[in-house]
């Protein structure tokens, strides 16, 4: 009889980003750690940099098409230009329910072959997989031109236990 799997504590990295270009570069560096089957959940206020980070992910993954916010189409698929996985970029902002409401997107089918990035996915897509990367972007709110963002990346599940998130702050 096999012993039960040991629980995996979340892997966590905290970074400070001071410009949109640094946020894009973070996305490019993070893309090097991603592989097909990865779910990345992005959380942050409007204007925090979720789509900018995703643009960098797209560049790093080498996918086709400009990565823009899919707010009105809900999801966009960006095929790989090489041998890497496609990027599925979802904006769940206008979706109120949980995974049931997102079922029409067939994310569970796409997950094994793609990297799925979901903006505003908290409380909506966690049931897709126990292994996921949660990215929370904090910014100053109110009438400010402050470009500083505090980014917390938390890897949940066996996949992220030793994925090397700490290398992102190097």
């Amino acid at each position: 009889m096999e012993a039960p799997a040991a629980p995996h504590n979340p892997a966590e990295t905290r970074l400070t980003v001071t410009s949109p270009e640094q946020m894009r570069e973070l996305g490019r560096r993070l893309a090097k750690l991603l592989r097909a089957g990865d779910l990345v959940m992005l959380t942050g206020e409007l204007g925090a940099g979720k789509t900018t980070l995703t643009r960098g992910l797209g560049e790093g993954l080498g996918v086709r098409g400009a990565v823009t916010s899919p707010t009105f189409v809900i999801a966009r698929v960006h095929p790989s230009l090489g041998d890497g996985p496609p990027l599925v970029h979802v904006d769940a902002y206008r979706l109120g329910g949980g995974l049931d409401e997102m079922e029409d997107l067939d994310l569970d089918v796409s997950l094994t072959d793609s990297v799925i990035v979901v903006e505003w996915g908290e409380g909506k897509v966690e049931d897709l997989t126990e292994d996921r990367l949660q990215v929370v972007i904090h910014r100053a709110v109110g009438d400010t031109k402050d470009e500083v963002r505090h980014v917390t990346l938390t890897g949940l599940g066996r996949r992220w236990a030793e994925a090397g998130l700490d290398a992102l702050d190097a």
Side-chain angles (χ1 to χ4, degrees):
M1 188 158 99
E2 284 185 42
H8 288 275
N9 294 328
E12 187 173 281
T13 297
R14 294 174 187 264
L15 306 165
T16 299
V17 174
T18 59
S19 70
E21 182 49 43
Q22 282 186 359
M23 187 65 79
R24 257 176 113 154
E25 178 58 28
L26 174 59
R28 288 190 286 267
R29 289 193 333 257
L30 177 57
K32 293 175 184 172
L33 299 177
L34 297 176
R35 61 185 187 209
D38 284 342
L39 172 64
V40 180
M41 294 173 45
L42 303 179
T43 303
E45 297 290 325
L46 288 170
K50 297 178 297 295
T51 301
T52 302
L53 178 71
T54 307
R55 256 186 220 111
L57 289 172
E59 291 168 9
L61 290 170
V63 299
R64 184 177 61 204
V67 175
T68 59
S69 178
T71 300
F72 297 105
V73 295
I74 309 297
R76 282 199 172 92
V77 177
H78 297 275
S80 175
L81 292 171
D83 59 358
L87 171 67
V88 177
H89 184 198
V90 179
D91 186 330
Y93 182 73
R94 295 184 312 138
L95 301 177
L99 191 56
D100 290 343
E101 189 171 334
M102 297 189 72
E103 206 168 82
D104 289 341
L105 298 177
D106 287 332
L107 294 180
D108 53 339
V109 173
S110 301
L111 184 59
T112 57
D113 300 326
S114 308
V115 170
I116 297 181
V117 176
V118 182
E119 297 185 29
W120 304 97
E122 191 172 5
K124 299 173 184 167
V125 297
E126 290 90 339
D127 289 340
L128 281 174
T129 178
E130 291 179 10
D131 296 307
R132 62 188 174 275
L133 180 64
Q134 294 179 321
V135 180
V136 179
I137 305 170
H138 294 281
R139 69 171 182 91
V141 293
D143 187 19
T144 179
K145 294 187 182 354
D146 187 357
E147 295 289 340
V148 174
R149 306 294 192 259
H150 300 284
V151 182
T152 304
L153 299 101
T154 305
L156 300 169
R158 192 175 301 272
R159 154 73 176 104
W160 293 100
E162 296 185 27
L165 288 176
D166 53 340
L168 293 172
D169 62 7

